[in-house]
Amino acid sequence: MNNNSYKAATKLIHAGVEPDPSTGAIMTPIYQTSTYVQEAPGVHKGYEYARTQNPTRTALQQAMAAIENGKHALSFGSGLAATDAIIRLLVPGDEVIVSNDLYGGTYRIFTKVFAVYGIKFHFVPMDDAASIEQYINANTKMIWVETPTNPLLNIIDIEAVSAIAKKHGIKTVVDNTFASPYLQNPLDWGADIVVHSATKYLGGHSDVVHGVVVVNEDALEEKLRFIQNSCGAVPGPHDCWLVLRGIKTLHVRMDRHCENGEKIAKYLRSHPKVDRVLWVGFEDHPNHAIVKKQMRGFGGMISFVLKEDNMEAATNVLKNTKLFALAESLGGVESLIGHPASMTHGSIPREERIKNGLPDSLIRLSVGIEDADDLIEDLKQAIG
Ligand SMILES: *Cc1c(COP(=O)(O)O)cnc(C)c1O
């Protein structure tokens, strides 16, 4: 089905997927093969070698393009492999402006891997989109946006950033992992490239690591496909199948993540031991108007800061939860709890971390789809 006029729930089930031509199997088979037999040299059914193409991957890529309202999608062995391919569009001397509250692994690949090759990254706040114009110069080739941000749940105006970028002939990339295509479609707001860690909400069951890039422009897709085939960070067919299967329930899961997220954010806000709660659904979120514009729901990610703002108080909460599991990652059906100051952001010096708005006691929740009352009970006994 490649009819883009269907509504989200229909697209999530059917987009890109046809009954298997050889058997009629309704579910896309896992084409576990490395190569394909040719009738004569160069005469084949569109598949030559599985680094280049695989039918399970093709189905997933068509589904991803459809649900992100894009023309092309490419899937990778991980979210960071997808990021790696995007940065390979650049050459030494090029500069990238990056939102400063960023996934730690993205920060690491930019500063530790690509900076060495002469690509320059500027990490700047983007809450006020207009303020990024001052960082643009003749070498600026890309603006990299993550929204909502991790773990501070800041919001960046994709439409405003893309408009500034376009004016200067710069490509805008949006990491849409936190929102998922069900809640936000950056291409609709003018972004050129969308990147996902499909490990999170798209896969949804904490059982696969995967990445996806979606674009509209043919030339961009051609370049990325060349990079993917040349560098080889492709996913296996079983992983593609798991993500394809995850996508079919994305809307049902996201609706429940949003519902549970709202109940828990409101509960935490009323808790006497909680100083503040960061959640994009609050009317008094500094960029709530932009949330309302570009997102269709508020998601399941929440951070909160304790009144007793120290490591020990946070550790006590983390030790005491029974349903919320202490783990990295997010977006799965089960609820997770994390402590950025000692986990994902542990390598950042304390002073700098606090200056960037990340205090010692900040706790991040990935709210799952269990019963909300049970989750609230768990937090109640853990916070005390
Ligand atoms: C997890 C994550 C990534 C990296 O994806 P992997 O699949 O772990 O390689 C990138 N961006 C965000 C926002 C993430 O949460």
Side-chain angles (χ1 to χ4, degrees):
M1 184 206 86
N2 276 317
N3 185 339
N4 251 343
S5 67
Y6 284 111
K7 297 206 167 65
T10 311
K11 278 203 244 178
L12 287 163
I13 309 287
H14 295 288
V17 178
E18 302 287 349
D20 180 53
S22 57
T23 62
I26 191 161
M27 284 298 138
T28 307
I30 301 164
Y31 282 91
Q32 195 75 52
T33 187
S34 62
T35 192
Y36 309 85
V37 176
Q38 307 192 9
E39 282 166 39
V43 183
H44 52 75
K45 299 187 163 81
Y47 294 92
E48 300 164 273
Y49 183 65
R51 181 177 4 86
T52 319
Q53 321 98 339
N54 177 286
T56 316
R57 195 165 104 208
T58 303
L60 171 60
Q61 292 178 162
Q62 287 171 357
M64 277 303 305
I67 64 176
E68 270 296 9
N69 297 336
K71 198 166 162 195
H72 310 284
L74 289 160
S75 82
F76 290 84
S78 70
L80 281 173
T83 294
D84 176 79
I86 295 168
I87 299 300
R88 285 173 196 273
L89 292 165
L90 305 173
V91 298
D94 285 352
E95 298 189 14
V96 186
I97 301 172
V98 188
S99 53
N100 65 346
D101 185 26
L102 193 69
Y103 176 69
T106 310
Y107 181 80
R108 183 176 57 198
I109 194 175
F110 289 175
T111 56
K112 298 280 199 268
V113 179
F114 282 112
V116 178
Y117 292 92
I119 296 167
K120 208 165 161 189
F121 298 89
H122 303 273
F123 298 91
V124 307
M126 294 190 182
D127 304 45
D128 171 18
S131 71
I132 62 176
E133 201 143 19
Q134 62 187 299
Y135 304 102
I136 295 175
N137 63 43
N139 297 324
T140 311
K141 295 290 153 59
M142 195 174 272
I143 298 180
W144 190 283
V145 174
E146 201 176 296
T147 181
T149 69
N150 173 29
L152 299 178
L153 283 318
N154 289 324
I155 292 291
I156 296 166
D157 187 338
I158 301 169
E159 186 181 28
V161 171
S162 304
I164 293 167
K166 216 151 259 154
K167 200 169 79 186
H168 295 273
I170 298 167
K171 298 279 184 236
T172 304
V173 183
V174 177
D175 181 334
N176 202 26
T177 302
F178 261 43
S180 90
Y182 183 59
L183 299 183
Q184 176 172 278
N185 297 117
L187 298 177
D188 290 352
W189 300 105
D192 300 288
I193 301 176
V194 174
V195 59
H196 278 282
S197 169
T199 312
K200 315 297 166 52
Y201 286 109
L202 287 164
H205 296 72
S206 309
D207 53 10
V208 63
V209 172
H210 199 100
V212 183
V213 177
V214 188
V215 299
N216 269 323
E217 204 184 303
D218 296 343
L220 210 44
E221 190 259 352
E222 208 171 300
K223 282 183 200 160
L224 287 164
R225 191 153 37 86
F226 177 80
I227 292 167
Q228 184 189 48
N229 190 42
S230 305
C231 301
V234 295
H238 186 251
D239 287 355
C240 294
W241 180 84
L242 282 168
V243 177
L244 203 49
R245 176 177 162 137
I247 286 173
K248 289 180 195 292
T249 55
L250 180 68
H251 52 311
V252 183
R253 289 184 285 110
M254 284 315 289
D255 282 344
R256 182 60 68 86
H257 284 296
C258 291
E259 209 178 292
N260 284 358
E262 175 162 4
K263 286 181 185 160
I264 288 170
K266 288 178 175 164
Y267 166 73
L268 288 170
R269 200 174 227 195
S270 71
H271 197 291
K273 290 190 178 168
V274 172
D275 180 61
R276 60 187 187 277
V277 182
L278 311 176
W279 175 61
V280 304
F282 287 129
E283 297 277 327
D284 56 3
H285 183 288
N287 272 341
H288 192 69
I290 298 162
V291 174
K292 282 282 184 52
K293 176 175 80 165
Q294 70 191 22
M295 296 182 76
R296 291 181 285 267
F298 307 134
M301 298 305 297
I302 299 169
S303 293
F304 64 100
V305 180
L306 298 171
K307 282 198 179 132
E308 194 188 338
D309 184 22
N310 58 54
M311 294 285 207
E312 203 193 339
T315 310
N316 280 334
V317 175
L318 302 167
K319 272 200 311 224
N320 289 334
T321 55
K322 296 187 169 73
L323 278 173
F324 282 88
L326 179 62
E328 311 256 354
S329 199
L330 62 110
V333 289
E334 63 288 303
S335 293
L336 300 182
I337 190 165
H339 184 229
S342 64
M343 294 165 76
T344 47
H345 295 62
S347 59
I348 302 171
R350 183 171 183 267
E351 242 75 308
E352 197 187 326
R353 168 167 60 71
I354 289 171
K355 204 182 75 198
N356 290 335
L358 208 169
D360 290 338
S361 73
L362 185 134
I363 292 170
R364 192 192 80 173
L365 302 178
S366 170
V367 176
I369 62 172
E370 301 96 332
D371 186 277
D373 293 340
D374 287 337
L375 294 175
I376 288 172
E377 255 337 285
D378 192 31
L379 291 170
K380 188 186 266 176
Q381 62 82 26
I383 300 170

